[in-house]
Amino acid sequence: MFTGIDIGGTNTDIAIIDSEIKTFKVPNSEGLNSALGKISSSGRLAISTSQPLNDIITGPPADIKTITIPGPGLIYPGAVKGAVSHRGDVVEPIDPGEIHTLMKGSHARGVAIAGKFSVRNDILEQEVFDIVSEYFSEEQIALSSPLGALHFPARIHTTRFNAQIKGKVSKLISQIQSACPNFYFVTSTGGLTSAQRALGNPMLLYRSSPATVANGAYFLSRNDDCLVVDIGGTTTELVPIKNGKPVQETVILNGSKTLIQAVHATSVPYGGDSCIREGLCSFRAGSSRSFGGGEPTLTDALNVTGARIGDVGRSEVITSSCAQDIVQFYLDQVTAAIREYHPKILIGTGYLAHYLLSEIAERAHAIGIVPEHAASANAVGAAVSRISLEVHIHVDTERKRLTLNGSEYPYKEFHDDDTLLAYASDLIRERARSEGAPEDDIQDVQVHFFSAYDVVKGWRITARITDIILGIAPGISMEAL
């Protein structure tokens, strides 16, 4: 049995998939514990949520203390003494007194620690972490080494965001585990990750809702090339699907690249709970009046124009002409955004898809499809997603060192590159198995990057240096198909 939960801005959607699909909604006003209490303890649970990331999206810049270990001669904010070479050797130790001086009197919200070559050897990051832990809780400290990639500026940037939201992710994990000890989060690419891996890199959860919508829309419609129009309470998300997979992109925040890949989505800032004042506002002020709220919304405007959503009588605080203008404005905004994609097929999801997609599709000159369970397609997508992960492996034959995302792993002698790739593939499969991935989902290990070169000294080869990026792709679990 597969259970998926998507925590949105208005409701928490739940999908239970066994021999059939069952979906239902729980208002967020009832709390997450209420939603967790409505599901069975058996089977697999996957949760999608963007709530821990609201501070990044809507809040003021967080006060994060950044400690970098760039090495001699390199200037980065928060730089301290210490260096790891490009081959993973410690060539300069940290100065503990320097770290203590930085921490005394610090009132930062969190601390980000990033070493230039910590993904080759994370020992200096760990030593700094041990000292910082005397001043801050573990939930306030983020390390860069679990991110795996060498790109130092992007790794620093991502680690700062991780330090900002790690505490909220930790609290969310504790809350969920009190009801369901074993569960997964949906990642920004539409795969599943363990709670432990999410805590090491909380930005994996960024933009997970569009990812679950894409998986859910494909699972429910089996349409390989389309544009998903997900009409939520706060926004309307447009998510393209090509060859059965959502399109991926590198996340850029505050003008700088991160190390996070995410499903591409265009957000139109209007949804069913967008309130009506002088016009349709790009924010919500609570639920629609038809669902007990105080201010009229797009949903109430639809009721005045003939829909039957919730308590229709409570919607009749706006005139018919105002309601028509509001609906037309919404349709114009969404259709203009859709035309940028030139889609042939639209898959409507979200509670209002049944009421709006037909008109949207006609305006966009596309075929509109609203599949069964479209109102909770996000939860369906969470339920059927499969465990995915990406690892960065570095091998140095002279040092007899193999590191995986900065952590040392048992080294073996490799006769050729094919033997090394086979061993690396087994490592990533074993890691996926340890998180509960079924065998059918981990057979296809993809090689995203492979680079190898020989080190020559005194006219002879003394070492072979190899860097590999391997991944188990996100998508729908074979067990759900």
Side-chain angles (χ1 to χ4, degrees):
M1 183 170 67
F2 299 91
T3 301
I5 292 179
D6 181 83
I7 307 170
T10 306
N11 296 302
T12 293
D13 286 281
I14 300 175
I16 300 172
I17 302 174
D18 198 348
S19 57
E20 59 181 346
I21 301 175
K22 299 177 182 177
T23 60
F24 51 98
K25 294 178 179 287
V26 178
N28 284 352
S29 57
E30 295 184 14
L32 177 58
N33 286 338
S34 175
L36 293 171
K38 297 180 185 297
I39 64 174
S40 170
S41 60
S42 62
R44 192 189 73 180
L45 171 64
I47 294 179
S48 167
T49 177
S50 58
Q51 284 192 355
L53 306 173
N54 287 343
D55 283 356
I56 293 175
I57 299 169
T58 61
D63 180 16
I64 301 298
K65 184 76 171 179
T66 304
I67 299 176
T68 57
I69 316 169
L74 297 176
I75 300 174
Y76 281 88
V80 299
K81 182 181 178 182
V84 170
S85 74
H86 67 285
R87 295 185 68 177
D89 299 324
V90 176
V91 294
E92 181 181 62
I94 65 166
D95 178 359
E98 182 181 19
I99 309 302
H100 281 290
T101 299
L102 284 174
M103 289 297 100
K104 288 177 180 177
S106 177
H107 299 290
R109 178 174 168 180
V111 180
I113 303 170
K116 183 170 176 59
F117 288 108
S118 62
V119 295
R120 300 277 171 82
N121 184 346
D122 64 354
I123 188 170
L124 295 189
E125 277 195 9
Q126 293 294 338
E127 289 176 1
V128 174
F129 173 86
D130 291 340
I131 297 172
V132 174
S133 295
E134 299 177 25
Y135 302 87
F136 289 82
S137 68
E138 184 176 345
E139 289 73 24
Q140 294 175 287
I141 309 169
L143 302 180
S144 82
S145 52
L147 305 184
L150 274 174
H151 194 313
F152 193 38
R155 186 151 39 90
I156 295 171
H157 196 50
T158 308
T159 305
R160 283 181 54 82
F161 285 122
N162 279 338
Q164 183 176 339
I165 63 173
K166 186 177 179 181
K168 284 195 172 183
V169 172
S170 177
K171 289 180 182 178
L172 182 61
I173 289 172
S174 297
Q175 183 181 6
I176 297 170
Q177 286 183 333
S178 66
C180 305
N182 299 310
F183 75 98
Y184 299 95
F185 280 120
V186 182
T187 71
S188 56
T189 59
L192 299 184
T193 184
S194 66
Q196 181 179 8
R197 188 150 47 98
L199 197 58
N201 185 8
M203 283 293 288
L204 284 172
L205 310 187
Y206 186 79
R207 214 188 287 168
S208 61
S209 288
T212 58
V213 163
N215 283 350
Y218 175 74
F219 181 79
L220 293 171
S221 72
R222 303 303 168 99
N223 199 293
D224 287 337
D225 292 281
C226 59
L227 181 68
V228 181
V229 182
D230 181 47
I231 307 173
T234 307
T235 62
T236 297
E237 303 289 335
L238 308 180
V239 188
I241 294 178
K242 301 292 184 185
N243 300 318
K245 301 282 187 181
V247 177
Q248 307 285 338
E249 65 183 6
T250 299
V251 173
I252 297 176
L253 289 171
N254 296 344
S256 298
K257 282 187 177 181
T258 69
L259 292 180
I260 300 300
Q261 291 291 307
V263 166
H264 169 80
T266 296
S267 182
V268 181
Y270 304 102
D273 287 338
S274 295
C275 65
I276 300 170
R277 291 180 182 175
E278 293 183 358
L280 188 64
C281 301
S282 58
F283 57 85
R284 64 191 301 271
S287 300
S288 302
R289 282 187 58 83
S290 61
F291 287 101
E295 293 193 54
T297 68
L298 173 62
T299 299
D300 295 305
L302 286 170
N303 276 342
V304 174
T305 59
R308 292 291 180 265
I309 308 169
D311 186 347
V312 176
R314 283 183 52 82
S315 297
E316 295 173 352
V317 294
I318 53 177
T319 65
S320 176
S321 62
C322 174
Q324 290 175 4
D325 288 344
I326 291 297
V327 173
Q328 291 305 311
F329 174 81
Y330 172 82
L331 292 171
D332 288 342
Q333 296 297 308
V334 173
T335 304
I338 288 173
R339 285 179 180 145
E340 296 295 320
Y341 291 94
H342 307 287
K344 293 182 179 179
I345 298 175
L346 301 178
I347 305 297
T349 61
Y351 186 74
L352 295 182
H354 287 285
Y355 302 92
L356 290 165
L357 190 74
S358 177
E359 180 66 23
I360 291 172
E362 183 175 343
R363 289 174 174 232
H365 305 294
I367 298 171
I369 300 171
V370 181
E372 189 178 5
H373 304 293
S376 297
N378 42 14
V380 172
V384 301
S385 296
R386 68 179 178 184
I387 293 173
S388 71
L389 57 108
E390 182 178 273
V391 298
H392 297 245
I393 293 175
H394 177 75
V395 180
D396 186 330
T397 60
E398 184 177 22
R399 304 294 197 274
K400 298 190 181 302
R401 178 183 293 146
L402 184 151
T403 57
L404 189 155
N405 290 1
S407 298
E408 197 155 341
Y409 267 63
Y411 175 82
K412 289 176 62 175
E413 294 289 345
F414 304 104
H415 302 295
D416 52 46
D417 291 341
D418 289 339
T419 305
L420 172 56
L421 272 175
Y423 179 67
S425 297
D426 286 341
L427 285 181
I428 191 172
R429 287 191 185 100
E430 185 54 40
R431 175 168 283 203
R433 285 190 196 100
S434 70
E435 293 187 10
E439 289 298 319
D440 286 345
D441 286 353
I442 62 176
Q443 294 308 305
D444 183 19
V445 175
Q446 299 178 351
V447 181
H448 299 312
F449 177 82
F450 184 93
S451 173
Y453 64 91
D454 294 325
V455 177
V456 179
K457 293 181 181 179
W459 303 100
R460 68 184 185 88
I461 297 174
T462 60
R464 186 165 176 82
I465 309 295
T466 306
D467 287 289
I468 310 170
I469 303 176
L470 297 175
I472 294 176
I476 295 175
S477 174
M478 295 296 291
E479 291 188 337
L481 294 173

